[in-house]
Amino acid sequence: MSCDGRKEQILLYLTDGLDRSERDALESHLQTGCPRCAAQHSAARELLGWLPLALPPEHPPQRVKDRLMSRVGNDLAAATAAEHRADGTVALGGSGDAHSRRADSTPTGSLRLRGGRQRAAWQRLLISHVLPPLAAAALAIVVTYGLMITSIHDSQDRLADLEDRIADLQDNLESSSKEMDKLKSYHAVTDELLTTLHSSALRDIPLQRINDQESYWARLLWDLENDRGFLFANDMDTLQADAMYSLWFTPEGSTDPIQAAEFTFDQFGRARFEMNVPDRPGRFTHARVQYAFGGERERSTERERDTAGEHEPDPNNVDEISFGAMGAR
Amino acid sequence: MVESQPKRRSTSAFPKNPVGVVGPPLTRSAAQSDAALRRENAALMNRIVQRDEAALEALYDRYSGAVYAIARQILAQTADAEEVVDDTFWEVWRKADRYDPTRGSVASYLLLLARSRAIDRSRQVRAQRPPNGSTELLDDRTEPEHREKYGKPDADLLLTERRAMVQRLLAELTAEQRQAIELNFLKGLSHQQVAEALDVPLGTIKTRIRQGLIQLFDRIRTNDEEREYEL
């Protein structure tokens, strides 16, 4: 038979359509290496290989793929383990897979793996099974460290904020204490004032600013029974809480004033003091409150002295801040 | 003797309206796609030789549907068909270095291997049902629920085009030729078994198969001026 007629024979051969003698004869011919028949054989195989594609695809269950890939993984692992043996000759347990149970499964035996394929398998195993966990661990460490540093910085910032808040609270507490002290003082003075107001020998002496500023006034309450005086002034813008003032009386028939008391005003424009009038006048013609010393007035005076040199301002200049009362009660 | 019967519409269980069957000949773009598929498969095979399991997985994803389909045509039990799929790709993994590209493409190698494994399996388990004369290939497997569960379109467009071409080529055969080829090659029945199933002389079956395959062979290897595709 010429090669021209073998095309049909090859097709039948590939579909088991030849009897024994025909099959043997064709196989013998193919074994001679006839290029034309070999090409026809390849083409026919290719055609037949395509035919199953005519069937609608049916995808097997996922477990089939999982089982296959598991076998492949075990095979790779077995190959890697074998590569580590000293002599390079390995005995592979067949497929390396416990699932294999076919009689025609991959034969067992000893295989000598080539170095190149050993290295390639080892490298793949390294890449697929070793490096990813290491990379994941390294990444986790870096991330954790970064988080720790960030947390430390946040803690430090919060600590600084807390310290600032504590300082503010302390300042507020101090201010509140001062306010509380003032209130206590106010109430104490108020209590004393109430006592004085109940005195049976109380004198009420209105005072006016010497320079006739009617908006500024003072009021003197004199408890003759207890020799206690209360002075109220509304001019705290001018009056100075840390300055000393004095109270003077001019008895009737005399030209020399008598100092009755020295005192300071509180922030509310109140002064309380003990009256020191040994010879209680029956009548007096003048009562005067005037600046004595201290306060900003003195400080400014000192500054002026420092700047002015020899000139010394008169500390007795009381015009601006003195109160006076004409006449007596 | 050539059966000069007019071509008529298929009465087999091949899809009545498969993709691309009724229409003009494949264009050059389809041939180019076919070449691209061959190149991709060849590259995958080379990687499998290098023990790249990802390449095997890619080949499995592409052809497991076809392998399973041919296995289920030949084997009655789905468990046996699953074993064939496993064994086929396992052998590809283990013996990839023995694949000879001069003897055929990766696809034909894989599907012929699957068919061979399925026939071996059927002989072992003797679970194949005797042919009952039905010309329906997917008799019990066309049930809607089964097809819905397992029947999925190809995820690979290149494979879809190849599948469409094959279906079109088969559709151009006579019904008798196609039926005989289906039962013999896709069902795994011997020529004698096909003859018995169809109650037709053995010689007639051989003639039908031979002429059908020759037509397919020539159609593929056509040297027409406008070459449609080539192996």
Side-chain angles (χ1 to χ4, degrees), chain A residues 46 55 75 101-102 124, chain B residues 50-51 83 87 105 108:
Chain A
E46 185 71 11
L55 297 169
D75 183 55
R101 56 184 183 272
R102 293 281 304 279
R124 276 190 293 277
Chain B
Q50 300 298 322
R51 311 290 276 174
E83 286 283 346
D87 290 345
S105 66
S108 63

Side-chain angles (χ1 to χ4, degrees), chain B residues 3-231:
Chain B
E3 296 180 341
S4 57
Q5 295 182 1
K7 295 181 180 180
R8 59 176 180 271
R9 201 165 180 82
S10 167
T11 59
S12 73
F14 278 135
K16 294 299 188 291
N17 293 303
V19 175
V21 169
V22 180
L26 290 177
T27 62
R28 291 189 182 276
S29 64
Q32 292 169 353
S33 297
D34 192 74
L37 179 63
R38 288 171 177 270
R39 285 193 296 271
E40 279 192 20
N41 288 342
L44 289 176
M45 213 61 178
N46 288 333
R47 287 167 57 190
I48 292 173
V49 173
Q50 300 298 322
R51 311 290 276 174
D52 185 349
E53 58 183 322
L56 179 71
E57 185 175 5
L59 197 66
Y60 179 94
D61 291 341
R62 176 169 285 172
Y63 288 108
S64 61
V67 169
Y68 191 55
I70 185 66
R72 281 185 42 83
Q73 284 297 319
I74 297 173
L75 295 165
Q77 301 297 324
T78 57
D80 294 327
E82 293 177 13
E83 286 283 346
V84 167
V85 174
D86 186 28
D87 290 345
T88 299
F89 284 96
W90 178 246
E91 184 164 339
V92 169
W93 171 255
R94 294 287 294 169
K95 301 178 182 178
D97 55 344
R98 300 183 189 180
Y99 163 69
D100 183 2
T102 64
R103 299 187 62 192
S105 66
V106 172
S108 63
Y109 161 73
L110 184 62
L111 296 177
L112 287 175
L113 178 61
R115 178 180 178 273
S116 176
R117 283 290 170 266
I119 292 176
D120 291 342
R121 186 72 172 175
S122 69
R123 291 169 182 168
Q124 287 185 359
V125 301
R126 300 185 182 278
Q128 181 178 359
R129 289 179 296 177
N132 56 7
S134 168
T135 60
E136 296 294 324
L137 265 179
L138 303 176
D139 46 340
D140 64 327
R141 296 171 183 88
T142 54
E143 295 172 357
E145 54 270 21
H146 183 277
R147 183 172 293 280
E148 180 179 354
K149 184 177 182 181
Y150 292 110
K152 297 179 184 178
D154 291 314
D156 192 321
L157 292 180
L158 296 179
L159 190 59
T160 300
E161 291 185 355
R162 170 77 69 85
R163 185 184 301 282
M165 181 191 70
V166 173
Q167 291 171 344
R168 188 176 73 84
L169 292 175
L170 283 169
E172 294 176 354
L173 299 179
T174 66
E176 290 78 10
Q177 291 170 347
R178 186 168 59 252
Q179 183 184 49
I181 291 174
E182 289 172 8
L183 293 175
N184 170 244
F185 193 78
L186 298 181
K187 268 279 194 187
L189 302 181
S190 65
H191 290 202
Q192 182 63 43
Q193 289 174 324
V194 173
E196 293 174 358
L198 300 180
D199 195 20
V200 173
L202 176 60
T204 304
I205 292 300
K206 287 189 175 182
T207 300
R208 291 177 180 178
I209 292 174
R210 184 180 68 251
Q211 291 181 344
L213 290 177
I214 289 175
Q215 182 172 337
L216 291 174
F217 190 86
D218 291 340
R219 194 79 172 89
I220 294 175
R221 294 296 300 270
T222 181
N223 289 320
D224 291 344
E225 185 174 355
E226 288 191 7
R227 189 182 298 277
E228 295 176 319
Y229 39 74
E230 56 185 349
L231 292 171

Side-chain angles (χ1 to χ4, degrees), chain A:
Chain A
M1 176 183 294
S2 68
C3 293
D4 290 337
R6 293 192 190 277
K7 180 174 64 179
E8 296 182 11
Q9 197 179 43
I10 289 173
L11 287 169
L12 287 173
Y13 165 71
L14 291 174
T15 57
D16 296 326
L18 296 180
D19 58 30
R20 181 84 178 253
S21 62
E22 293 175 322
R23 186 172 63 249
D24 292 343
L26 178 60
E27 287 177 352
S28 297
H29 177 73
L30 290 174
Q31 288 173 2
T32 64
C34 172
R36 186 172 180 178
C37 291
Q40 299 236 18
H41 183 264
S42 297
R45 279 179 55 87
E46 185 71 11
L47 166 64
L48 294 174
W50 287 13
L51 288 183
L53 291 177
L55 297 169
E58 288 187 52
H59 294 276
Q62 181 64 30
R63 61 174 176 270
V64 179
K65 181 179 179 180
D66 295 340
R67 187 168 64 216
L68 171 68
M69 299 313 297
S70 176
R71 290 174 72 181
V72 170
N74 291 338
D75 183 55
L76 287 173
T80 301
E83 285 178 357
H84 288 293
R85 304 212 178 163
D87 56 3
T89 301
V90 299
L92 295 179
S95 64
D97 168 47
H99 295 294
S100 177
R101 56 184 183 272
R102 293 281 304 279
D104 59 342
S105 62
T106 305
T108 60
S110 297
L111 300 177
R112 184 181 297 277
L113 299 177
R114 280 179 258 176
R117 295 182 63 181
Q118 291 179 357
R119 283 193 297 275
W122 181 82
Q123 289 173 353
R124 276 190 293 277
L125 183 67
L126 181 67
I127 291 172
S128 64
H129 291 83
V130 176
L131 289 182
L134 286 178
L139 180 63
I141 292 172
V142 170
V143 170
T144 301
Y145 179 74
L147 292 175
M148 287 176 56
I149 295 298
T150 302
S151 177
I152 290 173
H153 287 162
D154 291 344
S155 298
Q156 290 175 340
D157 291 341
R158 284 199 293 272
L159 182 60
D161 291 340
L162 286 174
E163 290 176 346
D164 291 340
R165 291 179 63 185
I166 290 173
D168 292 340
L169 288 173
Q170 288 176 339
D171 291 341
N172 291 336
L173 182 61
E174 187 176 350
S175 298
S176 299
S177 297
K178 292 180 180 178
E179 291 296 324
M180 185 62 69
D181 293 339
K182 291 177 182 178
L183 287 174
K184 288 180 179 178
S185 173
Y186 182 91
H187 287 300
V189 173
T190 302
D191 289 342
E192 292 184 19
L193 175 60
L194 289 176
T195 302
T196 301
L197 289 175
H198 287 90
S199 171
S200 61
L202 182 65
R203 292 196 175 178
D204 183 8
I205 306 170
L207 300 175
Q208 293 179 341
R209 286 289 291 273
I210 299 296
N211 54 2
D212 295 328
Q213 289 188 358
E214 294 184 358
S215 61
Y216 298 141
W217 51 262
R219 193 176 192 96
L220 175 64
L221 295 177
W222 186 356
D223 181 3
L224 292 172
E225 182 179 358
N226 297 304
D227 287 331
R228 180 174 296 173
F230 274 90
L231 189 65
F232 301 91
N234 70 337
D235 187 16
M236 284 312 298
D237 293 338
T238 305
L239 293 173
Q240 299 171 31
D242 59 345
M244 190 66 74
Y245 294 85
S246 58
L247 174 64
W248 295 84
F249 286 105
T250 302
E252 186 179 25
S254 174
T255 59
D256 297 326
I258 300 172
Q259 184 175 351
E262 280 190 338
F263 49 85
T264 59
F265 287 96
D266 65 12
Q267 61 180 334
F268 304 107
R270 304 176 305 179
R272 56 182 175 162
F273 42 85
E274 298 293 329
M275 296 293 285
N276 184 19
V277 181
D279 298 324
R280 186 170 301 173
R283 295 172 63 85
F284 58 90
T285 59
H286 289 87
R288 175 174 292 186
V289 175
Q290 66 183 51
Y291 169 81
F293 60 88
E296 180 57 29
R297 182 181 177 94
E298 183 168 308
R299 288 190 288 272
S300 64
T301 300
E302 290 177 354
R303 286 194 294 270
E304 290 174 2
R305 184 181 301 114
D306 292 340
T307 57
E310 296 179 355
H311 175 71
E312 297 185 5
D314 182 4
N316 294 318
N317 182 357
V318 298
D319 290 342
E320 294 181 4
I321 59 173
S322 294
F323 294 89
M326 299 298 292
R329 289 192 65 229

